[in-house]
Amino acid sequence: ICSVKAKALVLVTEPVASPCGLCLQVISEFCPGSLPIHLSTPAGIGSSRKLRDFLPLPFGPDQLK
C-alpha cells in the first residue's frame, strides 16, 4: 500500500537528470514500483519511466521479514 497518495513524480532539472539512488530508495519505501517518474526541463517533459525501471530491486520492509 502506498502511504503517499502521489499519482506521479515530476523531476525538473536543467539538463534532464534522473533521481539519485538515495532519493529512489526513499520514494520506493512509500510508493509502488508502478509510480510514473517524469524527467523534464522547465520547457516540458522529456521522458517518462516507472520507479521500478530506476530501482528494480529496492530494499524495503518486505526484505526484513
Side-chain angles (χ1 to χ4, degrees):
I1 296 174
C2 181
S3 60
V4 175
K5 301 298 181 191
K7 294 186 183 207
L9 176 105
V10 179
L11 181 65
V12 181
T13 58
E14 184 65 55
V16 172
S18 64
C20 74
L22 178 60
C23 292
L24 291 169
Q25 177 60 38
V26 171
I27 295 165
S28 74
E29 292 176 16
F30 296 97
C31 296
S34 60
L35 180 77
I37 297 178
H38 306 293
L39 305 178
S40 64
T41 67
I45 293 174
S47 66
S48 299
R49 296 186 183 105
K50 303 286 185 198
L51 173 58
R52 71 174 140 257
D53 297 331
F54 291 100
L55 192 64
L57 300 171
F59 181 84
D62 292 340
Q63 286 74 33
L64 297 174
K65 293 179 182 176

